[in-house]
Amino acid sequence: MEGHAVLLVGVPALEDWVRARTAFYDPGFVSADPRFAHAHITVLAPCPASTDLLEQVAASVAPFDYALERLAVFPDGVIHLVPEPAGPFAALTAAARRAAPEVTPYWGRAEPTPHLTLDRLGERVTLASTAARVGPLLPAAGRADELLLTWWESGGCRVLARAPLRG
């Protein structure tokens, strides 16, 4: 897959865990940029690499607190955490979609649903095994107070810009 921009909210409480899983699966996507958020909740992907888009979306929602505790699995096998409340994340995505109506989220594979990706079901990965590994870090509390515009590409993951939430 070619490189693309992503609007997201970083989740520092789970950064080390997600970074380690990323390194296990594809070290090319481990960023050398210390501002990069491997652990994140996607707002819109792909998206234009536009600071205007970033600023417009960041201005639409005020900072908010959230918690991550409940694990779930999407139909494609992606194991993820569900943020609670999910509403403010959904509001960010709605604002991004209004600002960039030409974007087809996730290349048309799925509708955006607020989540933090942990792993994917496989021969050695189950919901129970993932819960056991990540369990000591849960519940993870966070505060969404900043939106990141990032670039995702093997060997080139980095932060392009950041903006405080201020809606």
Side-chain angles (χ1 to χ4, degrees):
M1 177 180 298
E2 65 185 58
H4 59 279
V6 177
L7 277 178
L8 58 83
V9 173
V11 179
L14 293 168
E15 178 64 15
D16 291 343
W17 198 92
V18 173
R19 184 182 173 100
R21 291 310 286 163
T22 302
F24 175 78
Y25 284 111
D26 191 343
F29 283 90
V30 175
S31 178
D33 183 344
R35 305 167 302 156
F36 193 77
H38 298 87
H40 65 274
I41 297 171
T42 300
V43 172
L44 187 62
C47 71
S50 161
T51 55
D52 289 342
L53 173 66
L54 170 71
E55 292 292 337
Q56 184 176 349
V57 176
S60 71
V61 174
F64 58 93
D65 295 319
Y66 63 90
L68 294 158
E69 185 172 19
R70 185 170 58 91
L71 277 83
V73 180
F74 285 127
D76 67 356
V78 170
I79 302 169
H80 60 278
L81 286 164
V82 178
E84 296 182 16
F89 289 107
L92 285 168
T93 296
R97 291 186 82 179
R98 284 190 302 275
E102 72 282 4
V103 170
T104 302
Y106 297 115
W107 300 270
R109 289 186 224 140
E111 273 300 304
T113 301
H115 70 281
L116 185 147
T117 298
L118 295 174
D119 216 323
R120 182 180 293 276
L121 294 175
E123 188 175 310
R124 296 185 189 165
V125 178
T126 65
L127 185 60
S129 69
T130 302
R133 276 184 278 179
V134 77
L137 301 175
L138 302 179
R143 178 153 182 83
D145 56 10
E146 176 179 64
L147 189 61
L148 300 176
L149 177 62
T150 59
W151 186 257
W152 289 76
E153 181 175 24
S154 185
C157 292
R158 63 194 180 278
V159 173
L160 300 174
R162 51 196 330 156
L165 296 184
R166 57 189 184 281

